[in-house]
Amino acid sequence: MIAVFFALSQEVASLKPHVNILKKIRHAHAVFYQAEFCGFPLTIVQSGVGRKVSDLIHQLSKHFRIQFMISSGFAGSVNPRVGVGDLVIGKHVLSPLSEVSEGEIRIGATLPCDAPAVELAVKLGSAASLQLHCGDILSVDKIIRQSSLKRHIGNQTSAIAVDMESFAIVERANAMGIPFIVVRAISDGVDEDMEICENMVTKGGGVDISATARYLLNKPHRIPYLNRLRKQTRQATNTLSAFFPNFITQIYNSLLA
């Protein structure tokens, strides 16, 4: 079985329309969607934001034989060549030694993605005429809001994009001997500040409507920014949606070979 991990409900929307949902299971704040894709078993995990996914993987592994893991969803660019809506395929996932700041950024651990899957993803993404980049992903503990810090990360490390979940997933996959890949789409560019608050997203990865409403009442000048971000996340969702069906089919073909 392939397990695809997303943090947010908006990210799940990139794959959900392509599959047949058989069962919805809640575990703590997360949601598991047991599904099938072209007759193949698939589990979509909506984990919520951050690195606390080890328990979810443990729960999955008790009930299913996981053959392949994918960390997906949105990512922030830290490289001027990587723009909004672009597809990013991870070569390695990096974890910093401490919270990322404008000072020196030291990498504490580096784990590789599955090389044959990376090669396949690049091939299929290019064939689909998607704007694609293959490189390292830095997993961080907090949203990187300032554009200056994004550029600093790009200058200080080999990363081309940042996310908040991939290292925890690849660390667990690596320990279990399960092949793993990062497939993400850029929702915010390197020169954009992220003017949002963590409490606008629920622990389960949904939109907290009341918190968002309070934020906009207090800061109505941010409405144009949120409208722009909504358009950009839709663009990122469309990119993932265009990529996933053929990729999942080919991964299952390789697993069955």
Side-chain angles (χ1 to χ4, degrees):
M1 181 202 73
I2 295 175
V4 189
F5 293 82
F6 298 99
L8 307 174
S9 57
Q10 297 99 314
E11 298 169 338
V12 172
S14 65
L15 184 54
K16 202 173 175 183
H18 298 287
V19 304
N20 179 26
I21 302 294
L22 303 176
K23 192 174 183 181
K24 180 179 178 181
I25 304 170
R26 292 193 177 275
H27 175 74
H29 298 294
V31 179
F32 300 156
Y33 295 96
Q34 286 182 241
E36 64 173 14
F37 174 79
C38 296
F40 298 121
L42 185 75
T43 296
I44 301 171
V45 182
Q46 183 181 318
S47 64
V49 176
R51 298 187 175 199
K52 298 178 181 179
V53 294
S54 290
D55 179 56
L56 302 182
I57 296 172
H58 176 68
Q59 289 297 320
L60 273 181
S61 64
K62 288 198 303 185
H63 301 285
F64 304 101
R65 186 171 73 91
I66 305 174
Q67 298 168 280
F68 194 85
M69 291 189 199
I70 304 171
S71 173
S72 193
F74 306 144
S77 171
V78 297
N79 186 302
R81 296 183 295 104
V82 182
V84 171
D86 290 0
L87 186 70
V88 174
I89 307 298
K91 279 186 178 180
H92 303 88
V93 186
L94 317 177
S95 179
L97 272 176
S98 57
E99 185 176 325
V100 171
S101 67
E102 294 283 2
E104 181 185 4
I105 300 174
R106 299 174 62 192
I107 301 302
T110 301
L111 290 173
C113 294
D114 182 68
V118 170
E119 183 179 350
L120 175 63
V122 170
K123 178 183 176 182
L124 295 179
S126 299
S129 300
L130 297 172
Q131 189 66 37
L132 181 147
H133 309 271
C134 186
D136 295 342
I137 310 294
L138 179 70
S139 280
V140 293
D141 290 326
K142 295 183 179 179
I143 295 173
I144 304 298
R145 290 189 174 86
Q146 300 85 5
S147 59
S148 60
L149 184 52
K150 293 181 189 179
R151 290 191 294 270
H152 182 67
I153 292 170
N155 292 331
Q156 283 268 312
T157 74
S158 61
I160 61 173
V162 291
D163 71 13
M164 295 178 65
E165 298 83 25
S166 288
F167 189 83
I169 302 171
V170 69
E171 187 175 42
R172 186 71 173 163
N174 188 62
M176 296 171 69
I178 298 171
F180 168 91
I181 193 172
V182 180
V183 177
R184 292 189 173 256
I186 299 298
S187 58
D188 56 289
V190 67
D191 292 320
E192 293 179 287
D193 289 334
M194 285 285 285
E195 301 181 32
I196 61 173
C197 297
E198 277 91 349
N199 67 356
M200 293 165 65
V201 178
T202 67
K203 291 182 179 180
V207 176
D208 190 319
I209 296 174
S210 61
T212 302
R214 287 194 301 270
Y215 176 84
L216 294 178
L217 284 172
N218 292 326
K219 299 180 179 180
H221 61 283
R222 300 278 174 87
I223 293 176
Y225 165 76
L226 290 181
N227 284 335
R228 187 179 78 240
L229 182 61
R230 186 176 69 250
K231 292 177 182 177
Q232 291 177 185
T233 55
R234 188 182 304 125
Q235 192 175 345
T237 298
N238 290 340
T239 295
L240 293 172
S241 188
F243 173 79
F244 264 126
N246 198 19
F247 179 67
I248 291 174
T249 300
Q250 294 300 324
I251 286 293
Y252 263 119
N253 287 340
S254 67
L255 291 173
L256 295 173

